[in-house]
Amino acid sequence: MMVRFHRHEDGSVSLLGTRERDLDRMRRFFARLYREFGHYRAVMDGSGLLPEDSPIEVLGRFPHTSREDYRDILQPEALSRLSGDRFVCDYSSGSTGRCVLRLATPADELAEQAITARVFRRAGMRGGDTFVCADVGFPEIYDFYFRAARDVGVRRATFLHLNRDYGRSLKPIRGLAPDVFLTLPSLLVRSWPHLRSVWPRRRSPIRSLISMGEPMHPEFRREIAETLGCRVYSFYGTTETGGLAGECDCGAGDHFDPTLIGATIARPEFVDDQTVQGELYLTTWHLRDHPVVKYRVGDVVRVTTRPCGCGEASPRLTVVERTHEGFVLAGMKLRYQTILDALNRVAGDLGLLAITLSDLPESEGHTLMRIDLPDRLAPLERELLDVLRYEIFELDDLYQFGLVRFQLDFHTDEAFDRRKVRRVTDRRRYLGDDSWEDADGSSPDRTPGGL
Ligand SMILES: [Zn+2]
């Protein structure tokens, strides 16, 4: 693959295709952006960028797109621009208090589908396979995955809607006997006591387990592979950009095509001459109707163009850490700030709180979220609980499904000394902070997993 790192004037680095047709695609992308996208046109005008300039220079000088830009400007703009057209909506957890929508026209759906099919093929999916997906949330996205899987030749595809009775909701998996199973690590952790004994050790029909949405604990990953006798592959993507990268058999980063997905690394550090690490901004060269430019996804990644043992020439991406303080609940990404902002609608001036996550016995649900608050808020307990239950988009769902329970504990102000309070403490098995440290020490580059 003809790709190279290009260093921009501001010090950031982009991975770019070097063929003339790659540059053409970028040029056409910016020309269309200028012609049809009000916000991006204003951004280009404001930065003195012309669509006929060198596309590499335009990319380099283009300001990044934030989650707020996406939600407050690009998303409503797409709704009015595409009014009267056909599109589907992907909606997600986002990591904000409000839902993030991505509008996908048939053209964009097909472009993303091609990438997804490639990810599935790389993860060992083949013609004739049976494919099963399991999740607690909305099933719509799986309709999309099924189309991608049918492209690969999958014969039968089934969605298992998990609920807090994991044993029962997983039961059909035995009869379905999937070759390929796709789910989220945090759900897999809770389903594991049931799933592990469905088949004799190492004799499950599952050949490939595809994990998406969050990193998977390496020890858990090994246990799954050994118990089921399968390989585990990560699948990296975000709602705003779609799925974009997936692991091969070597398990050393997620392959992606930089001529379709542009990776720009802010404040880069070169690990070696072919490997760079820093905060990831993504440009969706492959999307026509609702694209993003240098979208700040909130991950610090390592990108390498080193040849991979599998023989595929495309570069690979490995998530090193998330830039936002947050956590994942049943596959939903949440930010600390989201919870704080929401509670402040009632509390008014709350500067800090402490969240502790722990596992609940299965009979009681999924996760207990305990929040420590100053005792002056004790009279507002009911109102605060109502905010958690009904006013945070991501939590609302999980609460209704019985997957999270809330507990408020009140403490004196001294207990809230800024230096002492840890904002998020995760005590869940295979998701918690302790088990991470036990298994891997404190090395920051422990995660060969997708999110
Ligand atoms: Zn590879």
Side-chain angles (χ1 to χ4, degrees):
M1 182 167 271
M2 314 270 279
V3 292
R4 70 186 173 95
F5 287 113
H6 175 91
R7 191 180 275 275
H8 301 294
E9 262 174 39
D10 68 354
S12 64
V13 163
S14 290
L15 192 58
L16 301 168
T18 55
R19 296 165 306 184
E20 194 47 45
R21 70 168 189 220
D22 300 329
L23 293 172
D24 269 347
R25 185 199 290 263
M26 293 164 64
R27 209 172 280 125
R28 283 198 311 273
F29 178 88
F30 285 123
R32 185 180 163 84
L33 221 56
Y34 194 78
R35 228 172 31 238
E36 297 181 23
F37 295 75
H39 172 67
Y40 277 140
R41 184 193 181 111
V43 167
M44 288 175 76
D45 283 341
S47 307
L49 299 171
L50 295 168
E52 49 278 12
D53 290 344
S54 140
I56 296 175
E57 185 161 330
V58 175
L59 179 68
R61 290 174 48 210
F62 215 103
H64 80 260
T65 303
S66 69
R67 226 179 274 264
E68 289 69 31
D69 295 334
Y70 189 92
R71 201 190 52 200
D72 299 340
I73 306 169
L74 293 173
Q75 181 178 303
E77 199 180 89
L79 273 169
S80 59
R81 187 179 55 250
L82 297 175
S83 165
D85 289 350
R86 285 167 190 273
F87 60 82
V88 292
C89 278
D90 252 5
Y91 39 114
S92 92
S93 52
S95 291
T96 54
R98 282 189 281 146
C99 174
V100 169
L101 272 188
R102 180 162 59 96
L103 278 51
T105 59
D108 285 3
E109 280 275 283
L110 288 171
E112 190 192 346
Q113 192 177 312
I115 289 180
T116 305
R118 180 81 195 86
V119 166
F120 286 171
R121 257 189 218 103
R122 194 184 286 116
M125 186 184 277
R126 306 197 282 258
D129 275 355
T130 294
F131 179 40
V132 171
C133 304
D135 198 350
V136 292
F138 315 110
E140 286 85 346
I141 182 75
Y142 295 94
D143 189 45
F144 168 81
Y145 290 143
F146 292 166
R147 288 200 299 278
R150 279 198 288 272
D151 258 9
V152 184
V154 155
R155 188 174 41 90
R156 190 163 59 149
T158 307
F159 176 68
L160 283 183
H161 202 167
L162 299 182
N163 56 45
R164 54 181 274 197
D165 188 347
Y166 290 97
R168 193 155 154 228
S169 51
L170 259 177
K171 211 161 197 169
I173 202 167
R174 186 195 195 91
L176 290 167
D179 301 286
V180 181
F181 182 43
L182 181 149
T183 192
L184 307 160
S186 62
L187 295 176
L188 200 55
V189 167
R190 296 311 302 255
S191 312
W192 189 234
H194 305 281
L195 188 63
R196 62 176 307 149
S197 51
V198 172
W199 299 285
R201 194 174 162 81
R202 306 189 67 84
R203 306 251 312 273
S204 87
I206 299 172
R207 192 170 64 239
S208 303
L209 189 143
I210 303 176
S211 111
M212 60 170 192
E214 48 199 284
M216 187 185 275
H217 191 290
E219 196 183 289
F220 184 45
R221 187 182 168 116
R222 254 193 313 276
E223 187 180 330
I224 289 167
E226 282 169 16
T227 308
L228 299 178
C230 68
R231 281 179 180 276
V232 179
Y233 301 88
S234 77
F235 178 11
Y236 181 82
T238 72
T239 300
E240 299 86 333
T241 60
L244 51 99
E247 248 174 335
C248 65
D249 285 349
C250 298
D254 294 0
H255 284 276
F256 69 101
D257 183 343
T259 66
L260 302 178
I261 303 283
T264 299
I265 307 293
R267 298 173 301 283
E269 290 167 42
F270 273 88
V271 178
D272 58 50
D273 61 340
Q274 294 169 80
T275 309
V276 66
Q277 181 171 319
E279 187 177 354
L280 177 67
Y281 298 163
L282 291 172
T283 303
T284 49
W285 305 122
H286 68 308
L287 298 183
R288 208 185 65 148
D289 296 310
H290 195 186
V292 286
V293 184
K294 283 165 69 172
Y295 184 68
R296 189 173 188 184
V297 293
D299 289 329
V300 172
V301 299
R302 186 173 278 199
V303 174
T304 187
T305 56
R306 285 194 166 280
C308 181
C310 72
E312 184 173 330
S314 62
R316 285 164 291 143
L317 169 158
T318 307
V319 177
V320 175
E321 61 178 350
R322 312 193 122 232
T323 51
H324 299 300
E325 233 171 340
F327 52 92
V328 179
L329 258 185
M332 290 281 186
K333 292 171 205 126
L334 278 136
R335 267 201 282 185
Y336 170 86
Q337 195 63 38
T338 303
I339 311 286
L340 182 63
D341 290 348
L343 289 178
N344 262 328
R345 279 178 233 150
V346 169
D349 60 345
L350 190 59
L352 188 71
L353 51 83
I355 300 172
T356 306
L357 302 163
S358 54
D359 288 319
L360 281 173
E362 198 172 310
S363 57
E364 291 175 39
H366 186 111
T367 303
L368 178 69
M369 184 192 283
R370 196 190 77 211
I371 301 189
D372 294 302
L373 295 164
D375 50 11
R376 70 186 153 80
L377 295 176
L380 296 172
E381 179 166 11
R382 240 189 59 200
E383 288 88 334
L384 292 164
L385 280 171
D386 279 352
V387 168
L388 293 170
R389 287 171 184 152
Y390 309 116
E391 293 185 26
I392 301 175
F393 173 76
E394 303 91 327
L395 285 180
D396 177 51
D397 231 29
L398 299 178
Y399 177 71
Q400 305 300 340
F401 288 143
L403 294 171
V404 62
R405 278 182 40 203
F406 307 107
Q407 177 185 324
L408 301 182
D409 284 357
F410 299 95
H411 305 272
T412 57
D413 279 349
E414 295 85 77
F416 270 86
D417 187 323
R418 219 162 253 277
R419 286 160 300 177
K420 287 184 199 148
V421 173
R422 183 167 178 182
R423 296 179 170 202
V424 181
T425 305
D426 199 338
R427 298 219 170 108
R428 295 171 296 173
R429 177 170 152 79
Y430 284 139
L431 298 165
D433 307 315
D434 297 341
S435 50
W436 279 101
E437 282 153 21
D438 288 346
D440 295 284
S442 56
S443 162
D445 59 354
R446 65 204 172 193
T447 317
L451 286 168

